[in-house]
C-alpha cells in the first residue's frame, strides 16, 4: 500500500514546490528559499542546484551537508535554503530537488537576482540592520584574499628555492669538471716536459798494428 502511495505521488503530484519564483538580494547579504514537499519524502535526500535546465543543473549542496555560503535545513516537510555573502555572480536560476528511486527527481525552480544597491530588496531577502553580516562577509573576503596572497608568496619562494638549488648544483658540477680538466692537463704537461735521453755511444779506439 505504501509503495502504491509513493508511486501515485511520483506520477500525479508535485512533491517539491518553491515558495517564490523570483528572489532578490543585495551583495554581501543573505537570501533564503523555502521548498515545501510531501511528508512521504522526509527521509529522501534533497539538494540545491544551479542551472537553467533541470536535467543539467550543477548541484551546489546536498542534505544533510552544507557549504561555506549555502546552508540546507530539512524540517521533514520543508527544505530551507539560506545563501549568505551574496555576490553579483550568484545571479541565475536555481532548483531545489528530491532524489527519488522509482521516478525522476521532483524539482522546482526560482530565479535569483543580486544587485549592488538597496533597490533590489524584495521578498525572500533577510536584511541585517546592524551591518554585522556585511562586516563578516567583508572580513571573510579579506581573509580569502590574504590566504591567496600567502599562497602566491609561498609558491614564489618555492620556485626561487628550486632555482637556487639548481644553480648551486650546476656550479658545483662545473667546478668538479674544471678540476678534472686541470688535473688531466697538468699530467700531460709533466709527461711532455721530461727530456728525451738519446742512447749513449761508446767510442772504442782501434789498436794500430
Amino acid at each position: 500500500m505504501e509503495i502504491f502511495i509513493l508511486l501515485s505521488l511520483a506520477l500525479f503530484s508535485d512533491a517539491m514546490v518553491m515558495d517564490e519564483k523570483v528572489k532578490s538580494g543585495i551583495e554581501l547579504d543573505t537570501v533564503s528559499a523555502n521548498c515545501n514537499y510531501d511528508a512521504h519524502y522526509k527521509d529522501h535526500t534533497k539538494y540545491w542546484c544551479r542551472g537553467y535546465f533541470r536535467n543539467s543543473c550543477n548541484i551546489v549542496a546536498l542534505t544533510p551537508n552544507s557549504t561555506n555560503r549555502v546552508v540546507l535545513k530539512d524540517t521533514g516537510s520543508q527544505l530551507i535554503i539560506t545563501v549568505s555573502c551574496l555576490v553579483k555572480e550568484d545571479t541565475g536560476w536555481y532548483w531545489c530537488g528530491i532524489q527519488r528511486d522509482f521516478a525522476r527527481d521532483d524539482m522546482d525552480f526560482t530565479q535569483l537576482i543580486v544587485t549592488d544597491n538597496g533597490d533590489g530588496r524584495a521578498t525572500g531577502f533577510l536584511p541585517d540592520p546592524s551591518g554585522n553580516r556585511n562586516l563578516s562577509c567583508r572580513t571573510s573576503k579579506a581573509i580569502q584574499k590574504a590566504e591567496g596572497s600567502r599562497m602566491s608568496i609561498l609558491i614564489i619562494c618555492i620556485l626561487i628555492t628550486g632555482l637556487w638549488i639548481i644553480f648551486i648544483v650546476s656550479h658545483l658540477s662545473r667546478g668538479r669538471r674544471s678540476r678534472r680538466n686541470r688535473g688531466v692537463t697538468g699530467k700531460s704537461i709533466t709527461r711532455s716536459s721530461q727530456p728525451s735521453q738519446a742512447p749513449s755511444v761508446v767510442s772504442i779506439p782501434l789498436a794500430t798494428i
Side-chain angles (χ1 to χ4, degrees):
M1 184 64 180
E2 184 178 352
I3 295 177
F4 176 76
I5 294 173
L6 288 175
L7 289 175
S8 299
L9 288 170
L11 295 174
F12 304 110
S13 67
D14 293 328
M16 181 70 82
V17 179
M18 181 78 69
D19 59 345
E20 295 168 349
K21 295 303 182 184
V22 178
K23 292 183 177 293
S24 300
I26 304 174
E27 282 189 303
L28 301 180
D29 255 305
T30 299
V31 69
S32 67
N34 299 327
C35 296
N36 300 303
Y37 62 86
D38 194 280
H40 287 283
Y41 296 104
K42 64 179 180 179
D43 296 326
H44 287 237
T45 300
K46 289 84 180 179
Y47 56 87
W48 177 251
C49 66
R50 178 176 184 174
Y52 186 80
F53 298 103
R54 58 178 291 164
N55 293 330
S56 60
C57 68
N58 297 316
I59 294 179
V60 178
L62 288 159
T63 58
N65 301 318
S66 300
T67 66
N68 292 334
R69 296 199 302 125
V70 179
V71 177
L72 302 182
K73 182 181 179 182
D74 190 356
T75 66
S77 61
Q78 188 180 67
L79 178 65
I80 303 172
I81 304 101
T82 304
V83 184
S84 59
C85 297
L86 291 170
V87 294
K88 294 190 72 172
E89 289 75 13
D90 290 329
T91 297
W93 296 86
Y94 293 84
W95 298 78
C96 55
I98 300 175
Q99 288 186 352
R100 301 194 291 187
D101 299 328
F102 303 105
R104 188 172 68 163
D105 291 356
D106 200 298
M107 304 169 68
D108 201 6
F109 70 91
T110 187
Q111 183 183 15
L112 174 62
I113 302 173
V114 181
T115 58
D116 55 1
N117 55 60
D119 296 335
R121 294 183 182 271
T123 56
F125 177 69
L126 302 178
D128 183 5
S130 65
N132 293 333
R133 186 177 290 111
N134 290 354
L135 179 59
S136 63
C137 289
R138 291 191 180 94
T139 303
S140 176
K141 285 189 174 183
I143 291 173
Q144 291 177 359
K145 289 182 180 179
E147 290 178 351
S149 300
R150 285 198 295 268
M151 184 61 67
S152 300
I153 293 173
L154 178 61
I155 293 173
I156 292 173
C157 291
I158 292 174
L159 291 175
I160 292 175
T161 303
L163 292 174
W164 180 248
I165 292 173
I166 293 173
F167 172 77
I168 292 176
V169 171
S170 176
H171 182 72
L172 292 176
S173 299
R174 286 199 299 269
R176 292 194 190 98
R177 286 196 298 268
S178 178
R179 285 195 295 271
R180 284 198 298 268
N181 292 337
R182 284 200 299 269
V184 172
T185 304
K187 290 179 181 179
S188 300
I189 294 174
T190 302
R191 290 195 184 117
S192 62
S193 62
Q194 292 178 354
S196 58
Q197 296 180 356
S200 58
V201 178
V202 178
S203 58
I204 301 175
L206 296 176
T208 58
I209 301 176

